[in-house]
Amino acid sequence: MALCLPVTRLDEELCDELAALARAAAEDHAGPFDATWQASQGWVRQVMPALGQGRALWCARDQGRLVGCVQLVRDDVPGNRHRGWVEALLEAPEKEGAIAGQLLAMLELFAGFDGCQLLMCLAPSVTLEKMLDGRQWQCAGKLPGYHIPLHGPAEPAGLYYKSLV
């Protein structure tokens, strides 16, 4: 079992680990990330300044190695504070779904305690859709052509939601 902990600040080492995880997930068709190192690094750099300002991040480690991460993104606009988006739910390809559920459980628990009433998530893979279905998330529909894998045509993504009240 992995240890899932919140991250309050990113240092260079963790940024590099997150970028490598994003790259591995993209190469395994697990997420909508460009597989180049620069794109992975760019994604991580977007996360850094937003931590604690509407964005929370959890990382999972197994024997000291980063094996997964997930983000909760909240909006401070009046009338929107009650909802949040699950983003970048990533895990090392060899974990095959073992970490994503733990990370999502941590996010759901935190979101509920933080006053979030509605969570939303785009699921660009069948694996993620099955995991969300198993955790009582509801599919609102499919967004055609949302995800373009590294090898192949554009694919739909499921738009999922979960009420926390």
Side-chain angles (χ1 to χ4, degrees):
M1 178 179 272
L3 179 61
C4 301
L5 296 171
V7 174
T8 56
R9 71 183 229 356
L10 291 173
D11 59 24
E12 288 299 317
E13 183 179 350
L14 183 53
C15 286
D16 290 344
E17 288 179 299
L18 285 167
L21 179 65
R23 183 177 177 200
E27 289 171 352
D28 194 50
H29 306 283
F33 291 94
D34 187 312
T36 66
W37 186 253
Q38 286 90 2
S40 300
Q41 287 284 351
W43 165 74
V44 171
R45 299 292 182 239
Q46 290 175 349
V47 173
M48 288 178 68
L51 276 181
Q53 299 176 14
R55 187 178 301 261
L57 171 68
W58 289 265
C59 288
R61 292 192 176 276
D62 188 5
Q63 298 179 1
R65 186 174 150 263
L66 183 69
V67 292
C69 70
V70 68
Q71 296 176 64
L72 172 64
V73 179
R74 301 286 297 276
D75 190 347
D76 281 334
V77 174
N80 294 355
R81 181 79 179 128
H82 70 289
R83 65 182 187 231
W85 281 93
V86 175
E87 290 188 1
L89 178 56
L90 303 173
E91 68 180 349
E94 71 275 6
K95 292 299 179 180
E96 299 177 351
I99 304 301
Q102 291 178 42
L103 286 163
L104 191 57
M106 295 293 292
L107 182 145
E108 290 173 6
L109 184 64
F110 173 84
F113 282 125
D114 196 41
C116 190
Q117 298 175 17
L118 176 69
L119 288 175
M120 297 167 289
C121 181
L122 285 170
S125 71
V126 173
T127 303
L128 181 54
E129 287 182 355
K130 287 180 182 178
M131 198 259 309
L132 292 170
D133 287 337
R135 297 193 54 82
Q136 289 76 49
W137 284 66
Q138 303 295 314
C139 184
K142 298 277 188 174
L143 300 175
Y146 175 80
H147 171 62
I148 299 177
L150 296 175
H151 309 288
E155 299 173 348
L159 175 58
Y160 280 78
Y161 69 94
K162 184 173 187 175
S163 175
L164 299 178
V165 292

